[in-house]
């Protein structure tokens, strides 16, 4: 039968929040309740009759509560097939009660791991009985409805109330799907805890927060976002974020992490690359100089700041059409100004733990790698030319290197006085990338005399340093590692150009 009238329920939950209305509804409907431990006490304290599982199994909770429901009389009551005469006969033979509803809320394994608890505490939060009850009840959805999370209490209460104690096959199957989502996610979290060093070459990803986007990269493509966006951002204003918005926001956040604790820094990104970046004594000036880097590309871009956005900065931003503005906070008058554009997305970025790995599809599989957490520092530089960079050069070289790391390869970044002058992005030739950057910088009237250049990978020939020098660039930062490094070093020495090497390549494909 597709419609089943429930006469009994087993409840064994960790979280009791939201459970009371369900208990009262069961009492009203005359549904017999079986329970264990803390849940049993909770039900008794509500003044509702409850049958201890121990009365059914004739076996106490043992091993400090590790074994309570793991018994044939419990699982027989869940897994029996009501349309199978042999199953029904065995229920009667062994005095096993039929269980029509199972409500379980698992031990909080992920929260315990996130709390920094000891390994022993974490191990004790691996639910055994609960996960087994969920799998059994969900498997037998033809006869049993399984509620597997406190997040589903309200949904279940509506179902049982509207059906006056009866459930449909459609509802039972729907709750079964939810249950297997819970169980698979739980097992994934446990596996990833044990395999955090990736000693086992297996990839398991589970995200239970999913959102359907308007479309993907283009309108004819479906798009989804899986993750806890609301934990990372407080969205204060604007339209829904698109697939492309999210990619640009990701690029912006990762770039600004390089400047998190620095002086006021502002970046403008377009298609995952920075078209403007500047660091100044005030945020207002940082924005003005970031915009000067490429006011054309900034149209429709994503803006991000490492400091609170004030009124003066907001007034400047408001004159630009931009899709998204991100900051750690906003003054009240700045927020009022920025909200003046109906669709402008305004985000406050919160402190959250970021993923350690990057994942992308490749061919008929998946590529997984550690994030590029290495940032070039003054301490790690190798001074390879006779001419040494000045103090200002060194500051600009590190500034340019941080930006270069977050720009699509092949890339060249040109900077001066902690301002992005231009970059050449995603080129098949490093010479093309440099020429693109020089052309762009000059088109926006930047004087490149005394500017610095950063490259994401080594120079196989001295052509790039020669082109840079003839454009006025006086200092270069690059990984080094080419068998022909000496050719570039020799050119720099002959032309009084300073060059440092980092030993670290920063490809970004």
């Amino acid at each position: 039968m597709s419609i089943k009238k429930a006469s009994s329920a087993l409840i064994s939950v960790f979280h009791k929040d939201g459970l009371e209305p369900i208990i009262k509804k069961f009492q009203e409907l005359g549904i017999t309740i079986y329970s264990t431990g803390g849940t049993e006490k909770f039900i008794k304290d509500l003044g509702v009759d409850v049958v201890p599982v121990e009365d059914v199994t004739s076996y106490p909770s043992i091993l400090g509560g590790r074994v309570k429901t793991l018994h044939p009389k419990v699982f027989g009551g869940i897994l029996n097939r009501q349309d199978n005469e042999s199953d029904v006969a065995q229920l009667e033979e062994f005095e096993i009660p039929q269980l029509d509803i199972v409500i379980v809320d698992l031990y909080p394994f992920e929260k315990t791991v996130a709390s920094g608890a000891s390994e022993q505490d974490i191990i004790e939060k691996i639910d055994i009985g609960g996960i087994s009850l969920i799998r059994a009840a969900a498997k037998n959805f033809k006869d049993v409805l399984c509620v597997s999370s406190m997040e589903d209490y309200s949904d279940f209460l509506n179902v049982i109330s509207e059906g006056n104690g009866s459930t449909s096959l459609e509802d039972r199957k729907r709750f079964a799907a939810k249950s297997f989502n819970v169980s698979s996610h739980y097992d994934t979290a446990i596996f990833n805890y044990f395999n955090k060093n990736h000693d086992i070459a297996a990839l398991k990803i589970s995200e239970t927060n999913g959102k359907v986007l308007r479309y993907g990269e283009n309108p004819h493509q479906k798009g989804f976002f899986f993750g806890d966006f609301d934990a990372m951002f407080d969205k204060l204003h604007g339209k829904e974020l698109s697939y492309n918005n999210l990619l640009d926001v990701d690029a912006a956040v990762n770039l600004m992490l390089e400047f998190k604790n620095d002086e006021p820094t502002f970046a403008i990104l377009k298609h995952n690359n920075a078209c403007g970046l500047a660091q100044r004594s005030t945020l207002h000036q940082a924005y003005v100089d970031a915009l000067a880097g490429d006011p054309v590309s900034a149209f429709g871009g994503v803006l991000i700041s490492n400091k609170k956005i004030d009124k003066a900065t907001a007034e400047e931003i408001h004159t630009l059409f931009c899709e998204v503005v991100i900051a750690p906070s906003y003054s009240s008058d700045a927020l009022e100004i920025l909200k003046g554009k109906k669709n402008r997305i305004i985000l406050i970025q919160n402190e959250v733990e970021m993923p350690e790995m990057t994942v992308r599809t490749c061919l008929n599989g998946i590529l997984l790698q550690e994030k590029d957490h290495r940032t070039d520092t003054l301490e790690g530089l190798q001074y390879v030319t006779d001419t040494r960079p000045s103090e200002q050069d060194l500051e600009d070289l590190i500034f340019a290197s941080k930006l270069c790391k977050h720009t699509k390869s092949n890339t060249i970044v040109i900077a001066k006085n902690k301002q992005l002058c231009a970059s050449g992005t995603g080129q098949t030739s490093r010479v093309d990338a440099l020429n693109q950057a020089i052309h762009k910088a000059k088109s926006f009237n930047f004087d490149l005399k005394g500017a610095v250049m950063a490259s994401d990978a080594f120079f196989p020939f001295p052509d790039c340093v020669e082109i840079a020098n003839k454009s006025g660039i006086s200092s270069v930062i690059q990984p080094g590692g080419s068998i022909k490094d000496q050719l570039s070093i020799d050119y720099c020495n002959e032309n009084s150009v300073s060059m440092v090497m980092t030993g670290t390549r920063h490809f970004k494909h």
Side-chain angles (χ1 to χ4, degrees), residues 43-260:
I43 297 170
K44 285 180 177 177
D45 289 346
L46 293 175
V48 176
D49 291 337
V50 56
V51 179
V53 166
E54 291 91 333
D55 289 359
V56 176
T57 63
S58 300
Y59 219 95
S61 172
I62 62 171
L63 306 181
R66 279 189 164 196
V67 179
K68 296 188 288 285
T69 57
L70 296 169
H71 194 281
K73 284 197 171 183
V74 174
F75 283 86
I78 296 170
L79 284 167
N80 72 89
R81 294 156 291 188
Q82 287 292 290
D83 59 357
N84 184 297
E85 291 184 5
S86 176
D87 285 7
V88 173
Q90 286 189 322
L91 289 188
E92 185 174 347
E93 178 185 356
F94 296 110
E95 299 181 338
I96 299 174
Q98 166 68 26
L99 296 172
D100 304 308
I101 297 169
V102 173
I103 302 177
V104 178
D105 183 66
L106 299 171
Y107 294 155
F109 178 82
E110 288 180 279
K111 287 184 178 179
T112 305
V113 172
S115 73
S118 68
E119 182 172 84
Q120 185 55 44
D121 287 341
I122 290 170
I123 297 303
E124 289 306 315
K125 288 299 184 289
I126 298 177
D127 208 314
I128 303 300
I131 203 78
S132 301
L133 291 171
I134 286 174
R135 291 180 64 83
K139 173 180 178 175
N140 202 26
F141 66 87
K142 282 183 64 178
D143 294 307
V144 181
L145 189 145
C146 181
V147 183
S148 54
S149 168
M150 64 179 294
E151 294 177 1
D152 293 326
Y153 288 174
S154 178
D155 186 7
F156 169 71
L157 183 60
N158 288 335
V159 167
I160 204 73
S161 298
E162 290 174 5
N164 198 32
S166 295
T167 63
S168 68
L169 179 61
E170 181 183 1
D171 281 328
R172 295 193 297 277
K173 193 169 185 178
R174 178 168 64 88
F175 273 87
K178 289 186 176 192
S179 298
F180 285 120
N181 182 34
V182 167
S183 66
S184 62
H185 179 79
Y186 199 75
D187 284 341
T188 294
I190 295 169
F191 170 75
N192 287 336
Y193 170 76
F194 280 94
N195 195 46
K196 52 192 164 189
N197 294 326
H198 301 281
D199 296 324
I200 300 173
L203 174 64
K204 298 188 189 301
I205 300 173
S206 178
E207 286 289 350
T208 55
N209 290 312
K211 184 176 184 179
V212 179
L213 303 174
R214 294 196 303 274
Y215 50 81
E217 213 161 3
N218 299 291
H220 61 277
Q221 296 170 265
K222 290 182 179 179
F224 306 86
F225 174 74
F226 293 96
D228 195 350
F229 183 86
D230 293 338
M232 186 161 184
F233 297 104
D234 294 327
K235 184 169 177 284
L236 306 180
H237 182 74
K239 63 183 180 180
E240 290 299 309
L241 281 91
S242 69
Y243 182 98
N244 293 330
N245 287 156
L246 289 167
L247 285 175
D248 283 333
V249 167
D250 175 71
V253 166
N254 283 296
L255 170 61
M256 195 53 71
L257 281 173
E258 301 285 351
F259 304 94
K260 181 179 177 182

Side-chain angles (χ1 to χ4, degrees), residues 317-424:
I317 293 172
H318 193 55
T319 64
L320 173 74
F321 168 69
C322 58
E323 291 275 353
V324 186
V325 182
I326 310 165
S329 60
Y330 303 80
S331 68
S332 57
D333 45 6
L335 194 55
E336 185 177 351
I337 292 166
L338 294 174
K339 285 183 175 179
K341 296 286 177 69
K342 181 179 69 172
N343 290 328
R344 180 183 286 146
I345 299 164
I346 303 173
L347 302 175
I348 288 179
Q349 184 181 342
N350 301 317
E351 292 281 344
V352 298
E353 186 175 346
M354 298 289 282
E356 290 294 317
M357 310 295 287
T358 62
V359 183
R360 64 193 297 182
T361 58
C362 179
L363 302 176
N364 62 343
I366 293 171
L367 284 172
L368 180 75
Q369 69 168 346
E370 295 178 337
K371 278 193 172 181
D372 183 359
H373 288 303
R374 185 172 297 181
T375 298
D376 298 327
T377 63
L378 291 174
E379 295 75 19
L381 298 181
Q382 305 166 45
Y383 298 88
V384 296
T385 54
D386 297 336
T387 302
R388 301 261 302 193
S390 67
E391 189 173 332
Q392 180 62 55
D393 286 341
L394 287 171
E395 289 185 1
D396 284 343
L397 288 168
I398 295 299
F399 175 88
S401 172
K402 288 179 178 180
L403 175 52
C404 192
K405 170 184 167 183
H406 293 274
T407 307
K408 294 287 186 181
S409 300
N410 283 328
T411 186
I412 292 288
V413 168
I414 301 174
K416 184 178 180 180
N417 298 326
K418 293 187 178 179
Q419 179 185 21
L420 170 62
C421 300
S423 56

Side-chain angles (χ1 to χ4, degrees), residues 265-506:
T265 307
F266 212 104
I268 304 171
L269 287 91
K270 196 74 174 290
H271 301 298
N272 303 165
N273 292 309
C275 58
L277 179 69
Q279 189 173 100
R280 295 292 182 260
S281 59
T282 68
L283 189 65
H284 173 262
Q285 194 60 50
Y287 170 73
V288 170
D289 289 347
L291 181 62
D294 188 345
V296 175
S297 295
F299 182 85
V302 169
L303 282 57
I304 187 166
S305 162
N306 69 343
K307 304 293 182 187
K308 181 178 184 178
I309 292 183
D310 54 20
K311 181 181 179 182
T313 308
E315 286 175 338
E316 293 284 354
I317 293 172
H318 193 55
T319 64
L320 173 74
F321 168 69
C322 58
E323 291 275 353
V324 186
V325 182
I326 310 165
S329 60
Y330 303 80
S331 68
S332 57
D333 45 6
L335 194 55
E336 185 177 351
I337 292 166
L338 294 174
K339 285 183 175 179
K341 296 286 177 69
K342 181 179 69 172
N343 290 328
R344 180 183 286 146
I345 299 164
I346 303 173
L347 302 175
I348 288 179
Q349 184 181 342
N350 301 317
E351 292 281 344
V352 298
E353 186 175 346
M354 298 289 282
E356 290 294 317
M357 310 295 287
T358 62
V359 183
R360 64 193 297 182
T361 58
C362 179
L363 302 176
N364 62 343
I366 293 171
L367 284 172
L368 180 75
Q369 69 168 346
E370 295 178 337
K371 278 193 172 181
D372 183 359
H373 288 303
R374 185 172 297 181
T375 298
D376 298 327
T377 63
L378 291 174
E379 295 75 19
L381 298 181
Q382 305 166 45
Y383 298 88
V384 296
T385 54
D386 297 336
T387 302
R388 301 261 302 193
S390 67
E391 189 173 332
Q392 180 62 55
D393 286 341
L394 287 171
E395 289 185 1
D396 284 343
L397 288 168
I398 295 299
F399 175 88
S401 172
K402 288 179 178 180
L403 175 52
C404 192
K405 170 184 167 183
H406 293 274
T407 307
K408 294 287 186 181
S409 300
N410 283 328
T411 186
I412 292 288
V413 168
I414 301 174
K416 184 178 180 180
N417 298 326
K418 293 187 178 179
Q419 179 185 21
L420 170 62
C421 300
S423 56
T425 65
Q427 299 302 304
T428 53
S429 158
R430 199 159 300 280
V431 171
D432 287 346
L434 175 56
N435 285 328
Q436 181 191 63
I438 292 170
H439 173 77
K440 193 172 183 181
K442 289 182 176 179
S443 72
F444 291 115
N445 301 314
F446 279 100
D447 178 5
L448 297 185
K449 185 177 181 180
V452 306
M453 174 177 76
S455 175
D456 60 339
F458 63 63
F459 299 123
F461 304 102
D463 44 10
C464 279
V465 290
E466 180 178 355
I467 294 168
N469 175 51
K470 289 178 178 179
S471 298
I473 291 167
S474 62
S475 195
V476 178
I477 185 169
Q478 57 127 329
S482 169
I483 59 173
K484 296 183 178 181
D485 273 345
Q486 193 61 45
L487 295 178
S488 294
I489 293 171
D490 289 344
Y491 178 89
C492 289
N493 285 335
E494 292 164 6
N495 293 274
S496 300
V497 174
S498 63
M499 183 163 66
V500 295
M501 294 184 180
T502 65
T504 301
R505 188 182 73 184
H506 291 293

